[in-house]
Protein backbone atom coordinates (compact mmCIF):
# COMPACT_ATOMS: atom_id res chain seq x y z
CA UNK A 1 0.00 0.00 0.00
CA UNK A 2 1.60 3.26 -1.10
CA UNK A 3 1.99 5.83 1.66
CA UNK A 4 -1.30 4.98 3.36
CA UNK A 5 -2.24 3.86 6.82
CA UNK A 6 -5.15 1.48 6.49
CA UNK A 7 -8.15 1.69 8.73
CA UNK A 8 -10.67 -1.10 9.25
CA UNK A 9 -13.31 -0.10 6.71
CA UNK A 10 -12.98 2.17 3.71
CA UNK A 11 -15.27 3.45 0.94
CA UNK A 12 -14.57 4.21 -2.69
CA UNK A 13 -16.58 5.00 -5.82
CA UNK A 14 -14.70 2.63 -8.15
CA UNK A 15 -12.52 -0.29 -7.04
CA UNK A 16 -10.41 -1.76 -9.84
CA UNK A 17 -9.13 -5.22 -8.92
CA UNK A 18 -5.91 -6.01 -10.80
CA UNK A 19 -3.16 -3.53 -11.60
CA UNK A 20 -1.97 -5.00 -14.90
CA UNK A 21 -2.09 -3.17 -18.22
CA UNK A 22 -5.89 -3.10 -18.17
CA UNK A 23 -6.44 -2.00 -14.56
CA UNK A 24 -3.66 0.58 -14.51
CA UNK A 25 -4.81 2.12 -17.83
CA UNK A 26 -8.45 2.28 -16.71
CA UNK A 27 -7.44 3.96 -13.44
CA UNK A 28 -5.60 6.69 -15.37
CA UNK A 29 -8.50 7.14 -17.78
CA UNK A 30 -11.00 7.47 -14.91
CA UNK A 31 -8.78 10.02 -13.19
CA UNK A 32 -8.67 11.97 -16.45
CA UNK A 33 -12.35 11.80 -17.49
CA UNK A 34 -14.00 11.78 -14.07
CA UNK A 35 -12.39 14.38 -11.78
CA UNK A 36 -13.80 14.07 -8.26
CA UNK A 37 -14.49 10.34 -8.56
CA UNK A 38 -12.72 8.29 -5.89
CA UNK A 39 -10.83 5.51 -7.67
CA UNK A 40 -8.96 2.73 -5.86
CA UNK A 41 -6.65 0.35 -7.72
CA UNK A 42 -5.89 -2.92 -5.92
CA UNK A 43 -2.96 -5.09 -6.99
CA UNK A 44 -1.85 -8.22 -5.14
CA UNK A 45 1.83 -7.87 -6.08
CA UNK A 46 3.96 -5.20 -4.46
CA UNK A 47 4.93 -2.27 -6.64
CA UNK A 48 8.31 -0.57 -6.47
CA UNK A 49 8.50 1.93 -9.30
CA UNK A 50 11.76 3.35 -7.91
CA UNK A 51 13.43 0.15 -9.11
CA UNK A 52 11.87 0.72 -12.57
CA UNK A 53 10.87 -2.90 -12.57
CA UNK A 54 7.47 -4.37 -11.84
CA UNK A 55 6.97 -8.04 -11.06
CA UNK A 56 3.45 -8.08 -12.50
CA UNK A 57 2.36 -10.56 -15.20
CA UNK A 58 1.46 -7.73 -17.63
CA UNK A 59 4.87 -6.15 -17.43
CA UNK A 60 7.12 -9.12 -18.23
CA UNK A 61 9.53 -9.49 -21.16
CA UNK A 62 6.86 -9.09 -23.88
CA UNK A 63 6.54 -6.08 -26.14
CA UNK A 64 3.22 -4.62 -27.21
CA UNK A 65 2.28 -3.29 -30.62
CA UNK A 66 0.18 -0.23 -29.85
CA UNK A 67 -2.05 0.94 -32.69
CA UNK A 68 -2.26 4.60 -33.69
CA UNK A 69 -5.74 4.91 -32.11
CA UNK A 70 -4.34 3.71 -28.77
CA UNK A 71 -1.42 6.14 -29.05
CA UNK A 72 -3.99 8.90 -29.35
CA UNK A 73 -5.57 7.73 -26.07
CA UNK A 74 -2.15 7.86 -24.36
CA UNK A 75 -1.63 11.29 -25.86
CA UNK A 76 -4.93 12.49 -24.40
CA UNK A 77 -3.66 11.33 -21.00
CA UNK A 78 -0.52 13.42 -21.59
CA UNK A 79 1.62 10.29 -21.70
CA UNK A 80 2.79 10.26 -25.32
CA UNK A 81 5.95 12.38 -24.72
CA UNK A 82 7.00 9.85 -22.04
CA UNK A 83 5.93 6.76 -24.00
CA UNK A 84 7.77 8.03 -27.06
CA UNK A 85 11.08 7.70 -25.16
CA UNK A 86 10.65 3.91 -25.00
CA UNK A 87 8.73 3.23 -28.20
CA UNK A 88 9.82 2.35 -31.71
CA UNK A 89 7.46 3.69 -34.39
CA UNK A 90 5.94 1.26 -36.90
CA UNK A 91 6.17 3.00 -40.26
CA UNK A 92 5.58 0.02 -42.49
CA UNK A 93 4.35 -3.55 -42.19
CA UNK A 94 5.97 -6.02 -44.55
CA UNK A 95 4.15 -9.27 -45.10
CA UNK A 96 5.66 -12.41 -46.61
CA UNK A 97 4.37 -15.92 -47.06
CA UNK A 98 6.70 -18.91 -46.96
CA UNK A 99 6.19 -20.76 -50.23
CA UNK A 100 5.03 -17.62 -52.11
CA UNK A 101 7.49 -15.24 -53.67
CA UNK A 102 5.14 -12.25 -53.48
CA UNK A 103 4.76 -10.18 -50.38
CA UNK A 104 2.71 -7.14 -49.46
CA UNK A 105 3.55 -3.94 -47.71
CA UNK A 106 1.42 -1.48 -45.77
CA UNK A 107 2.80 2.06 -45.56
CA UNK A 108 1.85 4.47 -42.81
CA UNK A 109 1.28 7.47 -45.06
CA UNK A 110 -0.76 5.71 -47.72
CA UNK A 111 -2.94 3.38 -45.66
CA UNK A 112 -3.42 5.36 -42.51
CA UNK A 113 -3.03 9.02 -43.37
CA UNK A 114 -5.19 10.01 -40.41
CA UNK A 115 -2.86 8.03 -38.13
CA UNK A 116 -0.93 9.34 -35.17
CA UNK A 117 2.02 11.39 -36.42
CA UNK A 118 2.06 9.41 -39.66
CA UNK A 119 2.62 6.12 -37.85
CA UNK A 120 0.74 2.87 -38.08
CA UNK A 121 1.54 2.41 -34.42
CA UNK A 122 4.47 1.91 -32.08
CA UNK A 123 6.06 -0.95 -30.18
CA UNK A 124 6.92 -0.63 -26.52
CA UNK A 125 8.41 -3.17 -24.16
CA UNK A 126 5.97 -4.05 -21.40
CA UNK A 127 8.78 -3.69 -18.87
CA UNK A 128 8.97 0.01 -19.82
CA UNK A 129 5.21 0.51 -20.13
CA UNK A 130 4.52 -0.67 -16.56
CA UNK A 131 6.74 1.77 -14.65
CA UNK A 132 5.55 4.57 -16.94
CA UNK A 133 1.89 3.86 -16.06
CA UNK A 134 2.70 3.62 -12.34
CA UNK A 135 4.70 6.87 -12.36
CA UNK A 136 1.64 8.55 -13.90
CA UNK A 137 -0.62 6.90 -11.29
CA UNK A 138 1.60 8.20 -8.48
CA UNK A 139 0.94 11.74 -9.75
CA UNK A 140 -2.79 11.18 -10.15
CA UNK A 141 -5.64 11.19 -7.62
CA UNK A 142 -5.91 7.37 -7.85
CA UNK A 143 -5.40 5.46 -4.60
CA UNK A 144 -3.05 2.56 -5.32
CA UNK A 145 -3.15 -0.32 -2.85
CA UNK A 146 -0.34 -2.83 -3.29
CA UNK A 147 0.23 -5.50 -2.19
CA UNK A 148 -3.50 -5.88 -1.74
CA UNK A 149 -5.28 -9.07 -2.75
CA UNK A 150 -9.05 -9.12 -2.97
CA UNK A 151 -9.93 -12.37 -1.24
CA UNK A 152 -13.69 -12.11 -1.13
CA UNK A 153 -16.43 -10.16 -2.88
CA UNK A 154 -20.10 -9.78 -2.01
CA UNK A 155 -22.53 -7.81 -4.12
CA UNK A 156 -25.30 -5.70 -2.58
CA UNK A 157 -27.80 -3.12 -3.85
CA UNK A 158 -25.40 -0.18 -3.61
CA UNK A 159 -22.35 -1.91 -5.05
CA UNK A 160 -19.83 -4.41 -3.71
CA UNK A 161 -18.25 -5.26 -0.45
CA UNK A 162 -14.61 -6.44 -0.70
CA UNK A 163 -12.32 -8.15 1.74
CA UNK A 164 -8.78 -7.18 0.95
CA UNK A 165 -5.71 -8.97 2.24
CA UNK A 166 -2.88 -6.48 2.71
CA UNK A 167 0.17 -8.24 4.12
CA UNK A 168 -1.16 -9.82 7.30
CA UNK A 169 -4.13 -7.51 7.70
CA UNK A 170 -7.62 -7.81 6.22
CA UNK A 171 -9.33 -4.57 5.27
CA UNK A 172 -12.93 -4.12 4.21
CA UNK A 173 -13.63 -1.91 1.24
CA UNK A 174 -17.07 -0.83 0.02
CA UNK A 175 -17.32 0.28 -3.57
CA UNK A 176 -20.15 1.47 -5.79
CA UNK A 177 -18.57 0.02 -8.91
CA UNK A 178 -16.36 -3.07 -8.94
CA UNK A 179 -14.14 -3.37 -12.00
CA UNK A 180 -12.81 -6.88 -12.50
CA UNK A 181 -9.34 -6.62 -14.08
CA UNK A 182 -7.67 -9.63 -12.45
CA UNK A 183 -6.59 -11.25 -15.71
CA UNK A 184 -7.47 -14.43 -17.60
CA UNK A 185 -8.74 -17.29 -15.44
CA UNK A 186 -10.30 -14.66 -13.18
CA UNK A 187 -10.93 -15.78 -9.61
CA UNK A 188 -13.30 -12.84 -9.16
CA UNK A 189 -15.43 -13.97 -12.11
CA UNK A 190 -15.66 -17.39 -10.50
CA UNK A 191 -16.77 -15.83 -7.22
CA UNK A 192 -19.39 -13.79 -9.03
CA UNK A 193 -20.59 -16.82 -10.98
CA UNK A 194 -19.58 -15.33 -14.35
CA UNK A 195 -18.82 -18.18 -16.75
CA UNK A 196 -16.13 -18.07 -19.43
CA UNK A 197 -16.10 -19.69 -22.88
CA UNK A 198 -12.74 -21.06 -23.95
CA UNK A 199 -11.19 -22.25 -27.19
CA UNK A 200 -7.78 -23.92 -26.99
CA UNK A 201 -5.84 -23.23 -30.19
CA UNK A 202 -3.39 -26.06 -29.42
CA UNK A 203 -0.56 -23.61 -30.08
CA UNK A 204 1.98 -21.63 -28.13
CA UNK A 205 3.53 -18.24 -28.83
CA UNK A 206 7.28 -18.11 -28.29
CA UNK A 207 8.35 -14.62 -27.33
CA UNK A 208 11.84 -13.15 -27.11
CA UNK A 209 13.94 -10.12 -28.00
CA UNK A 210 16.38 -10.57 -30.86
CA UNK A 211 19.38 -8.59 -32.10
CA UNK A 212 19.51 -7.69 -35.80
CA UNK A 213 22.62 -7.06 -37.86
CA UNK A 214 21.01 -4.08 -39.60
CA UNK A 215 18.54 -1.34 -38.71
CA UNK A 216 14.87 -2.34 -38.98
CA UNK A 217 14.00 1.21 -40.14
CA UNK A 218 10.59 1.05 -38.44
CA UNK A 219 9.45 -2.01 -40.42
CA UNK A 220 7.30 -4.62 -38.67
CA UNK A 221 7.73 -7.95 -40.43
CA UNK A 222 5.12 -10.59 -40.62
CA UNK A 223 5.81 -14.02 -41.96
CA UNK A 224 3.31 -16.77 -42.60
CA UNK A 225 4.56 -20.31 -42.40
CA UNK A 226 2.81 -23.69 -42.52
CA UNK A 227 3.15 -23.83 -38.75
CA UNK A 228 1.57 -20.44 -38.13
CA UNK A 229 2.34 -16.73 -38.23
CA UNK A 230 5.52 -15.07 -36.98
CA UNK A 231 5.97 -11.39 -36.22
CA UNK A 232 9.14 -9.36 -35.80
CA UNK A 233 8.36 -5.97 -34.32
CA UNK A 234 10.78 -3.01 -34.28
CA UNK A 235 12.24 -2.02 -30.90
CA UNK A 236 14.42 0.95 -29.98
CA UNK A 237 18.15 0.41 -30.32
CA UNK A 238 19.91 -0.41 -27.03
CA UNK A 239 23.67 -0.27 -26.30
CA UNK A 240 24.32 0.05 -30.03
CA UNK A 241 22.34 -3.13 -30.84
CA UNK A 242 19.47 -3.09 -33.38
CA UNK A 243 16.64 -4.95 -31.68
CA UNK A 244 13.27 -6.49 -32.49
CA UNK A 245 10.56 -8.36 -30.58
CA UNK A 246 9.78 -11.83 -31.89
CA UNK A 247 6.43 -13.63 -31.61
CA UNK A 248 6.71 -17.12 -33.11
CA UNK A 249 3.66 -19.37 -33.17
CA UNK A 250 4.30 -23.10 -32.85
CA UNK A 251 2.22 -26.22 -32.34
CA UNK A 252 1.72 -27.56 -28.83
CA UNK A 253 4.53 -29.92 -27.93
CA UNK A 254 7.29 -28.15 -29.89
CA UNK A 255 7.48 -25.06 -27.66
CA UNK A 256 9.69 -26.62 -25.01
CA UNK A 257 12.14 -28.03 -27.52
CA UNK A 258 12.43 -24.70 -29.39
CA UNK A 259 12.61 -22.57 -26.24
CA UNK A 260 15.28 -24.84 -24.79
CA UNK A 261 17.65 -24.77 -27.79
CA UNK A 262 21.12 -23.26 -27.37
CA UNK A 263 21.17 -19.70 -28.78
CA UNK A 264 23.09 -20.57 -31.98
CA UNK A 265 20.71 -23.41 -32.87
CA UNK A 266 17.64 -21.34 -32.01
CA UNK A 267 18.92 -18.56 -34.28
CA UNK A 268 19.49 -20.99 -37.12
CA UNK A 269 15.96 -22.46 -36.84
CA UNK A 270 14.53 -18.96 -36.57
CA UNK A 271 16.41 -17.70 -39.62
CA UNK A 272 15.30 -20.76 -41.63
CA UNK A 273 11.66 -20.13 -40.78
CA UNK A 274 11.67 -16.37 -40.94
CA UNK A 275 13.91 -15.87 -43.98
CA UNK A 276 16.21 -12.91 -44.64
CA UNK A 277 13.88 -9.94 -45.14
CA UNK A 278 15.04 -8.37 -41.88
CA UNK A 279 18.66 -9.36 -42.57
CA UNK A 280 20.70 -11.59 -40.26
CA UNK A 281 19.33 -12.25 -36.79
CA UNK A 282 22.40 -12.24 -34.58
CA UNK A 283 21.21 -12.58 -30.97
CA UNK A 284 18.29 -14.03 -29.06
CA UNK A 285 17.33 -13.42 -25.44
CA UNK A 286 15.59 -15.83 -23.09
CA UNK A 287 12.62 -17.43 -24.82
CA UNK A 288 9.24 -17.43 -23.02
CA UNK A 289 6.19 -19.35 -24.16
CA UNK A 290 2.49 -18.55 -23.81
CA UNK A 291 -0.35 -21.01 -24.46
CA UNK A 292 -2.78 -19.67 -27.02
CA UNK A 293 -6.45 -19.65 -26.13
CA UNK A 294 -9.47 -17.53 -26.76
CA UNK A 295 -11.41 -16.90 -23.62
CA UNK A 296 -14.49 -14.77 -23.40
CA UNK A 297 -16.63 -13.94 -20.36
CA UNK A 298 -20.32 -14.65 -20.91
CA UNK A 299 -21.26 -11.40 -19.13
CA UNK A 300 -19.17 -8.26 -19.05
CA UNK A 301 -21.50 -6.05 -17.04
CA UNK A 302 -23.98 -6.33 -14.21
CA UNK A 303 -25.33 -3.75 -11.82
CA UNK A 304 -22.25 -2.56 -9.94
CA UNK A 305 -19.82 -4.68 -11.99
CA UNK A 306 -17.77 -4.26 -15.19
CA UNK A 307 -15.07 -6.54 -16.59
CA UNK A 308 -12.04 -5.23 -18.51
CA UNK A 309 -8.85 -6.72 -19.99
CA UNK A 310 -8.03 -10.42 -20.02
CA UNK A 311 -10.83 -11.22 -17.56
CA UNK A 312 -13.33 -10.01 -20.19
CA UNK A 313 -11.53 -11.32 -23.29
CA UNK A 314 -8.21 -13.02 -23.87
CA UNK A 315 -7.27 -13.18 -27.56
CA UNK A 316 -4.77 -14.88 -29.83
CA UNK A 317 -1.80 -12.50 -29.47
CA UNK A 318 -0.24 -12.62 -32.91
CA UNK A 319 -2.56 -10.01 -34.37
CA UNK A 320 -1.60 -7.62 -31.54
CA UNK A 321 -5.21 -6.81 -30.68
CA UNK A 322 -5.73 -7.63 -26.98
CA UNK A 323 -4.44 -4.52 -25.26
CA UNK A 324 -5.62 -2.22 -28.03
CA UNK A 325 -9.16 -3.55 -27.66
CA UNK A 326 -8.91 -3.26 -23.87
CA UNK A 327 -7.77 0.35 -24.08
CA UNK A 328 -10.76 1.21 -26.27
CA UNK A 329 -13.06 -0.53 -23.73
CA UNK A 330 -11.48 1.39 -20.84
CA UNK A 331 -11.65 4.72 -22.63
CA UNK A 332 -15.35 4.23 -23.35
CA UNK A 333 -16.14 3.24 -19.75
CA UNK A 334 -14.31 6.27 -18.35
CA UNK A 335 -15.90 8.63 -20.89
CA UNK A 336 -19.45 7.35 -20.17
CA UNK A 337 -19.04 7.67 -16.40
CA UNK A 338 -17.47 11.14 -16.83
CA UNK A 339 -20.37 12.30 -19.01
CA UNK A 340 -22.93 10.95 -16.53
CA UNK A 341 -21.16 12.74 -13.67
CA UNK A 342 -21.24 16.04 -15.56
CA UNK A 343 -24.91 15.67 -16.55
CA UNK A 344 -26.27 14.50 -13.21
CA UNK A 345 -23.96 16.63 -11.15
CA UNK A 346 -25.18 16.44 -7.49
CA UNK A 347 -27.59 13.57 -8.26
CA UNK A 348 -24.72 11.37 -9.43
CA UNK A 349 -23.84 10.77 -5.79
CA UNK A 350 -27.09 8.79 -5.46
CA UNK A 351 -27.13 6.83 -8.70
CA UNK A 352 -23.38 6.28 -8.81
CA UNK A 353 -20.96 4.85 -11.35
CA UNK A 354 -22.27 1.28 -11.09
CA UNK A 355 -25.87 2.01 -12.12
CA UNK A 356 -27.25 -0.78 -14.32
CA UNK A 357 -28.28 1.59 -17.11
CA UNK A 358 -24.78 3.02 -17.25
CA UNK A 359 -23.21 -0.43 -17.37
CA UNK A 360 -25.56 -1.51 -20.15
CA UNK A 361 -24.78 1.68 -22.07
CA UNK A 362 -21.07 0.82 -21.82
CA UNK A 363 -21.69 -2.71 -23.07
CA UNK A 364 -23.85 -1.52 -26.00
CA UNK A 365 -21.12 0.91 -27.09
CA UNK A 366 -18.43 -1.76 -27.01
CA UNK A 367 -20.26 -4.75 -28.41
CA UNK A 368 -19.64 -4.21 -32.11
CA UNK A 369 -15.93 -3.45 -31.87
CA UNK A 370 -15.46 -6.42 -29.56
CA UNK A 371 -17.39 -8.73 -31.85
CA UNK A 372 -15.34 -7.73 -34.90
CA UNK A 373 -11.98 -7.77 -33.13
CA UNK A 374 -12.55 -11.03 -31.27
CA UNK A 375 -14.04 -12.66 -34.37
CA UNK A 376 -11.04 -11.58 -36.43
CA UNK A 377 -8.52 -12.84 -33.85
CA UNK A 378 -10.35 -16.12 -33.56
CA UNK A 379 -10.03 -16.75 -37.30
CA UNK A 380 -6.25 -16.34 -37.15
CA UNK A 381 -5.29 -19.98 -36.52
CA UNK A 382 -7.57 -21.39 -39.22
CA UNK A 383 -6.46 -18.80 -41.76
CA UNK A 384 -2.88 -19.79 -41.29
CA UNK A 385 -3.54 -23.45 -41.49
CA UNK A 386 -5.50 -23.00 -44.72
CA UNK A 387 -4.13 -23.65 -48.19
CA UNK A 388 -7.17 -22.11 -49.81
CA UNK A 389 -6.03 -19.52 -52.37
CA UNK A 390 -8.52 -16.85 -51.35
CA UNK A 391 -7.50 -17.26 -47.75
CA UNK A 392 -3.84 -17.09 -48.61
CA UNK A 393 -4.65 -13.95 -50.64
CA UNK A 394 -6.24 -12.41 -47.56
CA UNK A 395 -3.22 -13.42 -45.55
CA UNK A 396 -1.15 -11.18 -47.77
CA UNK A 397 -2.93 -8.22 -46.22
CA UNK A 398 -1.12 -9.00 -43.01
CA UNK A 399 -2.40 -9.39 -39.51
CA UNK A 400 -0.45 -6.54 -38.06
CA UNK A 401 -1.50 -4.24 -40.83
CA UNK A 402 -5.08 -5.22 -40.23
CA UNK A 403 -4.67 -4.74 -36.53
CA UNK A 404 -3.23 -1.32 -37.06
CA UNK A 405 -5.64 -0.07 -39.73
CA UNK A 406 -9.14 -0.37 -38.20
CA UNK A 407 -11.26 0.10 -41.35
CA UNK A 408 -9.44 -2.65 -43.19
CA UNK A 409 -9.67 -4.86 -40.11
CA UNK A 410 -13.43 -4.51 -39.93
CA UNK A 411 -13.81 -5.41 -43.61
CA UNK A 412 -11.42 -8.32 -43.19
CA UNK A 413 -13.24 -9.63 -40.13
CA UNK A 414 -16.50 -9.76 -42.07
CA UNK A 415 -14.81 -11.61 -44.92
CA UNK A 416 -12.95 -13.96 -42.61
CA UNK A 417 -16.19 -14.80 -40.84
CA UNK A 418 -17.76 -15.62 -44.20
CA UNK A 419 -14.87 -17.83 -45.26
CA UNK A 420 -14.78 -19.74 -42.03
CA UNK A 421 -18.49 -20.57 -42.10
C1 LIG B 1 2.47 -13.24 -26.06
C2 LIG B 1 1.51 -12.08 -26.01
C3 LIG B 1 1.74 -10.97 -26.80
C4 LIG B 1 0.83 -9.90 -26.80
N1 LIG B 1 1.05 -8.83 -27.63
C5 LIG B 1 0.14 -7.85 -27.72
C6 LIG B 1 0.31 -6.77 -28.64
O1 LIG B 1 1.31 -6.68 -29.36
N2 LIG B 1 -0.66 -5.81 -28.70
C7 LIG B 1 -1.80 -5.87 -27.93
O2 LIG B 1 -2.66 -5.00 -28.05
N3 LIG B 1 -1.95 -6.86 -27.02
C8 LIG B 1 -1.04 -7.85 -26.90
N4 LIG B 1 -1.21 -8.85 -25.99
C9 LIG B 1 -2.35 -8.79 -25.04
C10 LIG B 1 -1.99 -8.06 -23.74
O3 LIG B 1 -0.85 -8.63 -23.18
C11 LIG B 1 -3.15 -8.13 -22.75
O4 LIG B 1 -4.18 -7.35 -23.27
C12 LIG B 1 -2.77 -7.58 -21.39
O5 LIG B 1 -1.82 -8.42 -20.81
C13 LIG B 1 -3.99 -7.45 -20.49
O6 LIG B 1 -3.62 -7.51 -19.16
P1 LIG B 1 -4.62 -7.53 -17.94
O7 LIG B 1 -4.28 -6.34 -17.12
O8 LIG B 1 -6.02 -7.71 -18.36
O9 LIG B 1 -4.28 -8.91 -17.20
P2 LIG B 1 -2.98 -9.34 -16.36
O10 LIG B 1 -1.75 -8.87 -17.02
O11 LIG B 1 -3.10 -10.79 -16.11
O12 LIG B 1 -3.14 -8.53 -15.01
C14 LIG B 1 -4.00 -8.94 -13.97
C15 LIG B 1 -3.45 -8.39 -12.65
O13 LIG B 1 -4.38 -8.66 -11.61
C16 LIG B 1 -3.67 -9.01 -10.43
N5 LIG B 1 -4.59 -9.81 -9.62
C17 LIG B 1 -5.11 -11.04 -9.89
N6 LIG B 1 -5.97 -11.41 -8.92
C18 LIG B 1 -6.01 -10.40 -8.02
C19 LIG B 1 -6.73 -10.20 -6.80
N7 LIG B 1 -7.60 -11.12 -6.32
N8 LIG B 1 -6.54 -9.05 -6.11
C20 LIG B 1 -5.69 -8.10 -6.59
N9 LIG B 1 -4.98 -8.24 -7.76
C21 LIG B 1 -5.14 -9.38 -8.45
C22 LIG B 1 -2.47 -9.80 -10.95
O14 LIG B 1 -1.41 -9.80 -10.04
C23 LIG B 1 -2.13 -9.01 -12.23
O15 LIG B 1 -1.18 -8.00 -12.01
C24 LIG B 1 -0.32 -9.94 -25.96
C25 LIG B 1 -0.55 -11.06 -25.14
C26 LIG B 1 0.35 -12.12 -25.17
C27 LIG B 1 0.06 -13.33 -24.28
Amino acid sequence: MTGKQMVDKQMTDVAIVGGGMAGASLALLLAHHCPGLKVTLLERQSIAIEADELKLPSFDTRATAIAAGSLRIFDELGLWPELQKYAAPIRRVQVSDRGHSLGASLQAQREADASFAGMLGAVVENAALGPMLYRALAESAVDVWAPAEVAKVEMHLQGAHLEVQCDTQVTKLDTRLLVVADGADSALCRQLGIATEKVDYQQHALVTTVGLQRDHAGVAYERFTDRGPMALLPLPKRDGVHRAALVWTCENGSEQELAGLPEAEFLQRLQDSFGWRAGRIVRAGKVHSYPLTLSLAREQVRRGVALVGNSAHFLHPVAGQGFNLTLRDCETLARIIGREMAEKDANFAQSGPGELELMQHFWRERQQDQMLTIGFSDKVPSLFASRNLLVSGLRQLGLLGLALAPTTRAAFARQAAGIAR
Side-chain angles (χ1 to χ4, degrees), residues 299-328:
E299 295 165 80
Q300 288 187 28
V301 294
R302 282 181 181 176
R303 182 174 58 197
V305 183
L307 274 57
V308 297
N310 285 348
S311 63
H313 41 64
F314 181 81
L315 316 185
H316 194 297
V318 176
Q321 302 264 351
F323 179 59
N324 288 298
L325 179 64
T326 288
L327 205 58
R328 298 196 292 276

Side-chain angles (χ1 to χ4, degrees), residues 16-25 41-45 55-60 62-67 70 122-124 126 134 145 147-152 163-165 180-188 191 205-207 233 246-247 288-292 308-327 400:
I16 305 171
V17 182
M21 281 161 91
S25 304
L41 178 65
L42 301 112
E43 168 53 49
R44 72 172 162 209
Q45 307 281 350
K55 302 246 178 288
L56 269 55
S58 263
F59 308 121
D60 59 10
R62 281 171 290 171
T64 298
I66 303 181
S70 302
V123 185
V124 64
N126 294 17
Y134 274 90
W145 292 17
E149 176 162 13
V150 174
K152 197 168 159 201
E163 270 185 31
V164 189
Q165 182 79 45
V180 178
D182 60 346
D185 195 24
S186 157
L188 246 57
Q191 278 200 45
L206 298 181
V207 173
L233 308 174
L246 172 74
V247 184
H288 300 268
S289 79
Y290 298 82
L292 299 186
V308 297
N310 285 348
S311 63
H313 41 64
F314 181 81
L315 316 185
H316 194 297
V318 176
Q321 302 264 351
F323 179 59
N324 288 298
L325 179 64
T326 288
L327 205 58
L400 271 170

Side-chain angles (χ1 to χ4, degrees), residues 19 29 83 111 117 122 141 146 209 256 296 325 329 332 341 368 373:
L29 282 158
L83 184 61
E111 300 283 342
T209 304
Q256 276 182 1
L296 187 57
L325 179 64
D329 292 342
T332 302
M341 278 177 83
Q368 195 189 18
T373 309

Side-chain angles (χ1 to χ4, degrees), residues 199-405:
V199 177
D200 185 345
Y201 293 122
Q202 307 285 328
Q203 288 183 327
H204 274 72
L206 298 181
V207 173
T208 187
T209 304
V210 297
L212 303 175
Q213 196 167 48
R214 65 167 202 234
D215 188 6
H216 49 60
V219 180
Y221 294 92
E222 206 164 10
R223 175 90 167 154
F224 301 136
T225 74
D226 292 345
R227 293 182 161 195
M230 307 170 81
L232 203 57
L233 308 174
L235 286 178
K237 205 168 162 184
R238 184 180 292 164
D239 301 329
V241 178
H242 301 294
R243 300 182 313 138
L246 172 74
V247 184
W248 185 359
T249 318
C250 65
E251 289 135 5
N252 272 3
S254 55
E255 76 279 2
Q256 276 182 1
E257 191 242 335
L258 277 170
L261 287 174
E263 188 183 1
E265 249 179 89
F266 179 83
L267 287 173
Q268 195 172 349
R269 295 272 281 275
L270 174 59
Q271 195 87 62
D272 284 350
S273 290
F274 189 78
W276 293 87
R277 282 180 161 76
R280 182 178 290 282
I281 304 169
V282 289
R283 298 280 302 275
K286 189 167 164 34
V287 181
H288 300 268
S289 79
Y290 298 82
L292 299 186
T293 55
L294 165 69
S295 103
L296 187 57
R298 289 222 178 110
E299 295 165 80
Q300 288 187 28
V301 294
R302 282 181 181 176
R303 182 174 58 197
V305 183
L307 274 57
V308 297
N310 285 348
S311 63
H313 41 64
F314 181 81
L315 316 185
H316 194 297
V318 176
Q321 302 264 351
F323 179 59
N324 288 298
L325 179 64
T326 288
L327 205 58
R328 298 196 292 276
D329 292 342
C330 292
E331 203 250 354
T332 302
L333 183 58
R335 196 169 29 76
I336 286 177
I337 295 176
R339 204 187 302 142
E340 185 80 359
M341 278 177 83
E343 277 169 15
K344 287 204 172 154
D345 203 9
N347 291 335
F348 184 76
Q350 279 163 5
S351 55
E355 204 182 40
L356 182 61
E357 214 178 293
L358 212 59
M359 295 297 96
Q360 287 173 336
H361 180 183
F362 162 60
W363 173 235
R364 276 196 305 277
E365 280 219 8
R366 294 305 305 144
Q367 221 169 351
Q368 195 189 18
D369 185 17
Q370 283 201 13
M371 201 181 68
L372 285 173
T373 309
I374 294 165
F376 164 67
S377 291
D378 180 42
K379 297 295 172 281
V380 168
S382 51
L383 288 182
F384 294 104
S386 175
R387 297 194 177 274
N388 174 314
L389 270 183
L390 176 59
V391 171
S392 111
L394 282 175
R395 280 203 313 230
Q396 297 285 328
L397 289 170
L399 285 173
L400 271 170
L402 291 162
L404 300 168

